[in-house]
């Protein structure tokens, strides 16, 4: 099939290359010329495992091309995907201006019947909006259909999620149109669900809101555990083994970030309220998530004091989650900004997100590995749970730190083992309240120690 994908970001690029890999002819369009030029030279705009190789293979085989020319690309395609960004507005609602622009461009390029597929995450009702925009702007009396096909890929495993999705959701106005999409996805041999357009749009938001709620629920339980002397890691393990609950998205920490959950939860809340439903459950999910990093920052200050001048703090992990270089709504930004405004010197390392972080946080010192971060630090803060941090030589880390204090925002270490190794360890909900005077006093005395020499 001839396919055009408008928007060559995480979703558009991965969708395009996977369809090409399945044997389709795919043109990926983006309005940013530098991105398109880079892709034509084999330079990926994002980090995603396996992406570069798959793009190279399909470009070499002539099935995948990149361009800024929407009109030429749309006119050649039978199916046109819209995969542009849908960022949040101030009031939490979704900014549909990129979707609208894409729809206008499609309208002007319409030269034969086409199926227009909305892959961007858009509020319920946007299918009708896209249809209206195209109807209003098309230059010829040509028919088209609008389908909703929300995307569920996760950054960091986008290729594999696209090849092996749990389900493919197709919201189509009728069975004939749905069949076009079924045919396209058939080679993946994955479960497909066919719905009306509005239900498909709603499935995406309901799924993300539910997952975000699971995370906030685990964090709320963690906050009680912390005060009550229970260990949330054991609690969620015990909960998750119940098949009705499941382990996924039940890890306590400093909250969810990234380009999807924060904006999608707010957008769904806004949609609910626009229909007169307050959705207190989702409101609480968002509020819990907003509060979680603030609690963590308060814990750091409780232990180290409000004034951090003269102290070096090491930060492990910058990206909003492991295996991505995406810094959108990354918790590291708020945490580091607080440390800087409290007078600390900040040293940080992330396996792949450093380049993207430099633009956001130019004033911190970037290190080549976790040990460089730890050297001379008065405290280490784990912000992103990269596997390589789980496997650090912690004896070595303790030896090179100025004070063996670890704030583990992702609960990657075992509190007992950390204590045995001589660390003052503060996880999230690990039954170790930073309000306990003994722990705080001990850590504060470490934190005032002079930096150790060498790495
Ligand atoms: P992105 O910002 O990485 O990419 C969007 C791309 O669209 C950009 O390269 C931009 O230049 C391009 N673009 C915007 N307007 C254009 C136009 N008129 N013509 C051509 N190109 C245009 O965004 P993303 O992360 O890929 O997300 C895209 C959509 O998919 C969003 O609605 C998002 O919520 C949703 N989504 C994202 C993920 C994810 O993990 N990133 C997962 C599922 C769904």
């Amino acid at each position: 099939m001839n396919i055009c994908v408008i928007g060559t970001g995480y979703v558009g690029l991965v969708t395009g290359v996977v369809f090409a890999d399945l044997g389709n002819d795919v043109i990926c369009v983006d309005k940013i010329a530098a991105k398109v030029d880079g892709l034509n030279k084999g330079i990926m705009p994002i980090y995603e495992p396996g992406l570069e190789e798959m793009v190279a293979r399909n470009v070499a085989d002539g099935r995948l091309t990149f361009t800024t020319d929407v009109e030429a690309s749309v006119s050649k395609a039978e199916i046109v995907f819209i995969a542009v960004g849908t960022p949040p507005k101030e009031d939490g609602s979704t900014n549909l201006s990129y979707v609208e622009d894409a729809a206008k461009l499609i309208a002007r390029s319409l030269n034969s019947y086409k199926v227009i597929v909305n892959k961007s995450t858009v509020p319920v009702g946007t299918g009708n909006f896209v249809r209206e925009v195209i109807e209003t702007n098309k230059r010829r009396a040509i028919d088209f259909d609008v389908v909703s096909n929300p995307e569920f890929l996760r950054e960091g495993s986008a290729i594999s999620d696209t090849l092996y999705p749990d389900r493919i959701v197709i919201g189509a106005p009728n069975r004939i149109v749905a069949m076009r999409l079924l045919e396209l996805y058939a080679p993946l041999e994955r479960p497909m669900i066919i719905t009306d357009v509005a239900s498909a749009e709603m499935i995406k938001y309901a799924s993300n809101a539910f997952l975000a709620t699971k995370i906030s629920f685990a964090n709320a339980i963690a906050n009680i555990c912390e005060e009550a002397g229970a260990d949330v890691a054991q609690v969620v393990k015990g909960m998750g083994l119940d098949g009705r609950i499941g382990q996924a998205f039940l890890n306590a920490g400093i909250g969810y970030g990234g380009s999807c959950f924060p904006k999608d939860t707010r957008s769904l809340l806004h949609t609910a309220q626009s229909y007169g439903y307050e959705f207190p459950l989702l409101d609480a999910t968002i509020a819990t998530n907003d509060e979680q990093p603030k609690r963590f920052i308060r814990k750091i200050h409780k232990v180290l004091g409000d004034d951090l001048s003269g102290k070096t703090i090491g930060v492990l992990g910058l990206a909003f989650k492991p295996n991505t270089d995406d810094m959108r709504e990354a918790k590291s930004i708020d945490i580091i900004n607080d440390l800087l405004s409290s007078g600390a010197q900040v040293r940080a390392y992330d396996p792949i997100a450093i380049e993207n972080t430099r633009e956001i946080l130019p004033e911190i010192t970037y290190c080549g590995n976790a040990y460089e971060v730890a050297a001379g630090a008065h405290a280490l803060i784990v912000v992103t749970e990269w596997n390589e941090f789980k496997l650090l030589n912690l004896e070595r880390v303790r030896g090179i730190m100025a004070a063996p204090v670890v704030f583990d925002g992702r609960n990657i270490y075992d509190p007992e083992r950390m204590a045995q190794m001589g660390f003052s360890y503060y996880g999230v909900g690990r039954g170790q309240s930073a309000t306990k005077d003994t722990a705080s006093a001990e850590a504060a005395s470490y934190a005032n120690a002079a930096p150790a020499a060498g790495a």
Side-chain angles (χ1 to χ4, degrees):
M1 270 189 222
N2 285 316
I3 293 167
C4 166
V5 183
I6 302 180
T8 310
Y10 284 90
V11 169
L13 179 54
V14 172
T15 301
V17 70
V18 166
F19 282 141
D21 215 50
L22 295 174
N24 299 288
D25 288 316
V26 180
I27 307 178
C28 284
V29 191
D30 206 282
K31 63 179 181 181
I32 301 175
K35 199 179 244 193
V36 170
D37 288 347
L39 280 160
N40 280 324
K41 290 181 191 133
I43 302 164
M44 298 302 108
I46 52 166
Y47 171 80
E48 200 55 56
L51 180 65
E52 196 170 336
E53 298 79 354
M54 202 185 249
V55 168
R57 187 168 67 238
N58 285 283
V59 168
D61 290 350
R63 286 188 299 270
L64 179 64
T65 50
F66 300 101
T67 180
T68 52
D69 187 345
V70 183
E71 186 152 359
S73 317
V74 170
S75 51
K76 279 185 208 150
E78 299 150 67
I79 302 183
V80 181
F81 282 87
I82 299 177
V84 298
T86 48
K89 289 192 200 167
E90 268 302 300
D91 64 358
S93 64
T94 298
N95 175 354
L96 288 173
S97 63
Y98 300 110
V99 172
E100 185 176 0
D101 289 350
K104 282 182 183 161
L105 291 167
I106 292 168
R108 289 176 200 141
S109 316
L110 214 57
N111 60 341
S112 59
Y113 171 80
K114 294 177 201 304
V115 178
I116 316 302
V117 186
N118 202 350
K119 215 171 218 329
S120 296
T121 303
V122 290
V124 58
T126 304
N128 289 338
F129 171 68
V130 168
R131 165 156 273 290
E132 275 164 30
V133 173
I134 300 178
E135 279 295 356
T136 315
N137 289 279
K138 69 182 187 186
R139 290 172 173 160
R140 285 173 264 184
I142 293 169
D143 202 12
F144 65 93
D145 279 297
V146 177
V147 171
S148 166
N149 170 220
E151 181 52 60
F152 299 95
L153 66 76
R154 294 161 299 176
E155 290 176 20
S157 54
I159 295 275
S160 127
D161 288 347
T162 307
L163 286 169
Y164 311 102
D166 289 339
R167 78 300 206 188
I168 295 157
V169 175
I170 298 166
N174 60 57
R175 286 216 143 255
I176 297 165
V177 178
M179 288 308 290
R180 301 293 293 266
L181 270 285
L182 278 178
E183 205 185 315
L184 178 65
Y185 279 110
L188 293 179
E189 297 180 14
R190 304 302 294 171
M192 296 199 217
I193 166 163
I194 298 174
T195 71
D196 56 278
V197 176
S199 302
E201 290 168 340
M202 206 52 189
I203 287 171
K204 173 66 189 176
Y205 281 99
S207 302
N208 272 6
F210 188 78
L211 293 172
T213 301
K214 260 187 116 177
I215 295 172
S216 279
F217 187 88
N219 282 331
I221 295 294
N223 296 341
I224 309 169
C225 287
E226 195 153 298
E227 300 305 324
D231 182 351
V232 74
Q234 294 179 40
V235 173
V236 295
K237 199 170 194 179
M239 286 171 65
L241 286 170
D242 184 329
R244 296 167 301 176
I245 297 174
Q247 300 282 358
F249 287 79
L250 213 53
N251 289 334
I254 45 180
Y256 57 79
S259 69
C260 291
F261 283 7
K263 84 170 169 61
D264 293 350
T265 45
R266 287 197 161 83
S267 175
L268 180 57
L269 188 64
H270 189 275
T271 301
Q273 289 169 348
S274 73
Y275 286 105
Y277 178 57
E278 286 302 316
F279 209 159
L281 179 62
L282 187 56
D283 200 21
T285 293
I286 295 166
T288 303
N289 195 62
D290 289 346
E291 181 59 17
Q292 205 62 7
K294 293 180 192 150
R295 276 183 75 97
F296 188 67
I297 289 168
R298 284 200 297 274
K299 188 186 299 185
I300 294 170
H301 285 297
K302 205 152 218 166
V303 174
L304 300 181
D306 286 335
D307 180 9
L308 301 179
S309 25
K311 295 203 168 76
T312 301
I313 311 289
V315 174
L316 296 182
L318 296 162
F320 87 89
K321 68 171 189 178
N323 296 318
T324 181
D325 59 355
D326 197 341
M327 287 298 295
R328 288 179 284 188
E329 299 251 3
K331 299 294 168 200
S332 59
I333 301 170
D334 290 345
I335 292 171
I336 291 174
N337 276 331
D338 176 88
L339 297 171
L340 291 172
S341 63
S342 305
Q345 302 281 328
V346 178
R347 298 162 64 77
Y349 166 70
D350 186 286
I352 54 172
I354 288 179
E355 281 321 306
N356 285 350
T357 316
R358 273 187 213 281
E359 296 162 22
I360 306 165
L361 296 164
E363 59 277 72
I364 66 172
T365 304
Y366 293 96
C367 299
N369 58 51
Y371 299 104
E372 253 183 57
V373 172
H378 295 92
L380 266 188
I381 304 175
V382 179
V383 176
T384 317
E385 64 276 36
W386 283 92
N387 274 342
E388 67 175 76
F389 300 150
K390 296 178 186 165
L391 300 170
L392 286 181
N393 178 340
L394 290 167
E395 298 279 359
R396 181 175 164 202
V397 168
R398 195 203 52 218
I400 58 181
M401 288 181 74
V405 181
V406 172
F407 297 93
D408 183 355
R410 300 296 177 184
N411 287 347
I412 64 172
Y413 301 126
D414 176 40
E416 223 169 278
R417 192 164 163 257
M418 294 299 278
Q420 278 162 8
M421 279 191 293
F423 283 100
S424 284
Y425 173 80
Y426 304 91
V428 177
R430 313 300 299 271
Q432 260 190 321
S433 170
T435 53
K436 283 178 191 161
D437 291 343
T438 45
S440 304
E442 192 188 346
S445 70
Y446 279 133
N448 289 326

